[in-house]
Amino acid sequence: MGIGRYGLHDTILYKRFCKGWLRATRVQGVRVFAYLEANIQVLTAVRTATYCMRFSVHHLAHSKMSGAGIVAKASLERTAELRESLSEINSRIQQAAGPSSHKPTLVAVSKYKPAADIQACYELGQRDFGENYVQELVEKAGQLPQDVRWHFIGTLQSNKAKILASIPSLYAIQTVTSIKAATALNKALPAERSSPLNILLQVNTSGEDSKSGLPPLAPDSPADAELTQLARHIITECPKLHLQGLMTIGSLVESLASLDKPNEDFETLQKTRDALQEVLTKNGFSPDAGRWGVDGRLLLSMGMSSDFDAAIKAGGDIVRVGTGIFGTRPKKEAATSSG
Ligand SMILES: *Cc1c(COP(=O)(O)O)cnc(C)c1O
C-alpha cells in the first residue's frame, strides 16, 4: 500500500505538492487515501490538484479497496432514469420470451458510460455488463463489485488475452474468432480461477467486410470449416475455456427490417448453431458430456437495442443492450472498435 510502489515521477510530484501529507500517507495508509478521495473536490481547487488526483485515482484503481464502494454515486435523477429504462427493457424481454421459455440473459452494454451508471444498475439487480475496450473494462472491473459478470464484446486481439484473463470477474468473451486467441486465453488464465471462462465464437452472418467473425455454417459445410476447427480446438485443447455459444452483430439493414420480416442474420446464426452442434456430436463430443453449451445447447448471443425483441423471438439466449438502457453514446466509437 505504500507510496513507494508508485513511480518516482508520481512520488516527486506528490511530495512537492502535497508535502505534509506524504508522511501521514506512509503512516496511515488506506485511511488517508480514503480521506484524499473524499477531499478530491477540494484538491481540484488548487493548481496542483491534477497531480494529486492522478495519484489518488491510480492508487484506488490498483488497491485492494477495489469494489468496496469507491464508485461515485449516480444522481437521484440518473438513478430514476436507469431504473425506468432497465425495467422497460426487462419487461420487453419477458414479453418476447413468452411465459414458458427460459429467461434470456440481458447484457447491459456499458461502454463509454461511467462506473456510477453501472453501479446504479447493479443496485437495481442487473449483473451482466458488456464492454468493448480492454482498458475500460480493466478499470471498471477494478471498481465494481466482484460478482458482476463481465462480458467482453469488443474486437479481440491475441495480445490482449493476458490482461483480459487477469480480470477475476470476467465471465465471458463473446468475440473469439481464432485458434491463436483461444490458445492465448487458455494459457493466460490463472489456475486459481473458480470456473472456466465462457467463450462465444463470433460469426459474421451478414458477410460484411466491416464486421469481424468467422463465416457461418450450413448443413453441407465441410468438416474442416474454420468455425468447426475452432470449436474443436477449444473443446479438446483449452480446458480453462468453456465453449458456451455463438455471437453475431448482424447488418443494420436486417435489424431495421426485422419488424416486418424475419431477420436473416438471426436465422443464419441459428442454422450455424444447429450445424455446429451436429458436427460436434458426430465427432464424438456428446452434448451430455458438458464440454460445450449449456444443458446440451450452444447459446446464441444476438440482438441489440434496435432488435432484441426480434432476436429473442428468433431463439436468442443473450441480448446485448446499450443505448436502450444508458442512452446514446458519443460518436467516437464508430471509428474504432478495438480495445
Ligand atoms: C455497442 C454494442 C452493443 C450495444 O449496442 P446498442 O445498439 O447500443 O444496444 C451490442 N453489441 C456489441 C457487439 C456492441 O459493440
Side-chain angles (χ1 to χ4, degrees):
M1 282 285 171
I3 193 169
R5 277 179 46 204
Y6 295 90
L8 185 62
H9 186 62
D10 271 347
T11 309
I12 290 169
L13 293 171
Y14 190 72
K15 200 170 191 168
R16 189 179 304 155
F17 297 118
C18 305
K19 279 176 200 159
W21 291 13
L22 179 65
R23 221 161 290 130
T25 303
R26 275 190 175 138
V27 177
Q28 297 191 16
V30 176
R31 265 193 297 156
V32 174
F33 286 114
Y35 174 71
L36 279 179
E37 173 71 3
N39 285 280
I40 214 111
Q41 292 201 331
V42 180
L43 287 173
T44 49
V46 292
R47 236 182 68 191
T48 57
T50 329
Y51 297 113
C52 297
M53 185 151 75
R54 194 206 290 156
F55 175 82
S56 174
V57 168
H58 179 78
H59 175 81
L60 287 166
H62 290 82
S63 78
K64 291 217 167 64
M65 291 164 73
S66 296
I70 58 168
V71 175
K73 256 203 161 342
S75 69
L76 286 178
E77 195 187 2
R78 180 62 173 155
T79 305
E81 214 170 72
L82 290 169
R83 176 182 292 116
E84 192 173 325
S85 57
L86 199 53
S87 123
E88 190 210 312
I89 300 288
N90 271 316
S91 61
R92 278 171 61 188
I93 288 175
Q94 210 160 30
Q95 203 167 15
S100 60
S101 333
H102 182 71
K103 188 186 179 296
T105 299
L106 168 63
V107 175
V109 177
S110 46
K111 59 185 171 214
Y112 291 131
K113 297 296 171 179
D117 276 9
I118 304 175
Q119 181 71 33
C121 291
Y122 176 90
E123 283 163 19
L124 293 163
Q126 178 64 28
R127 287 295 176 272
D128 294 88
F129 293 91
E131 289 285 343
N132 291 56
Y133 307 96
V134 174
Q135 199 48 45
E136 189 178 343
L137 172 56
V138 167
E139 280 162 23
K140 288 173 173 173
Q143 295 170 42
L144 283 141
Q146 287 302 302
D147 63 335
V148 164
R149 289 186 291 264
W150 293 104
H151 298 246
F152 183 74
I153 60 171
T155 306
L156 177 64
Q157 291 157 331
S158 305
N159 62 1
K160 296 284 169 65
K162 215 166 172 170
I163 180 159
L164 278 172
S166 73
I167 305 171
S169 46
L170 183 68
Y171 174 79
I173 297 189
Q174 298 205 3
T175 46
V176 174
T177 55
S178 74
I179 287 181
K180 189 177 168 199
T183 304
L185 283 167
N186 185 64
K187 188 167 162 227
L189 283 164
E192 65 270 19
R193 238 191 100 94
S194 51
S195 53
L197 177 64
N198 292 300
I199 299 295
L200 289 94
L201 308 182
Q202 186 173 351
V203 180
N204 187 354
T205 51
S206 58
E208 294 163 289
D209 288 343
S210 60
K211 302 260 158 49
S212 51
L214 294 172
L217 297 181
D220 57 353
S221 291
D224 63 350
E226 247 182 304
L227 190 70
T228 309
Q229 283 193 34
L230 176 53
R232 285 166 58 159
H233 175 80
I234 291 174
I235 294 170
T236 58
E237 311 292 329
C238 304
K240 291 185 201 157
L241 307 183
H242 178 74
L243 178 64
Q244 194 188 36
L246 304 177
M247 177 271 212
T248 187
I249 295 178
S251 83
L252 188 60
V253 176
E254 283 299 316
S255 168
L256 295 176
S258 59
L259 284 178
D260 314 321
K261 64 168 195 67
N263 180 310
E264 281 181 26
D265 289 308
F266 299 161
E267 293 192 338
T268 302
L269 195 66
Q270 205 172 33
K271 285 180 186 151
T272 299
R273 188 256 310 269
D274 295 346
L276 182 58
Q277 287 187 167
E278 194 172 317
V279 69
L280 289 177
T281 308
K282 248 193 235 160
N283 277 260
F285 307 116
S286 151
D288 308 323
R291 307 278 296 277
W292 52 264
V294 175
D295 300 330
R297 226 166 49 84
L298 289 167
L299 303 184
L300 301 181
S301 172
M302 56 192 199
M304 321 203 292
S305 294
S306 56
D307 55 13
F308 68 90
D309 316 72
I312 292 169
K313 286 179 187 151
D317 302 285
I318 300 166
V319 293
R320 311 176 307 267
V321 179
T323 316
I325 297 171
F326 298 104
T328 52
R329 293 179 293 269
K331 276 277 177 277
K332 161 185 154 200
E333 64 152 321
T336 167
S337 63
S338 68

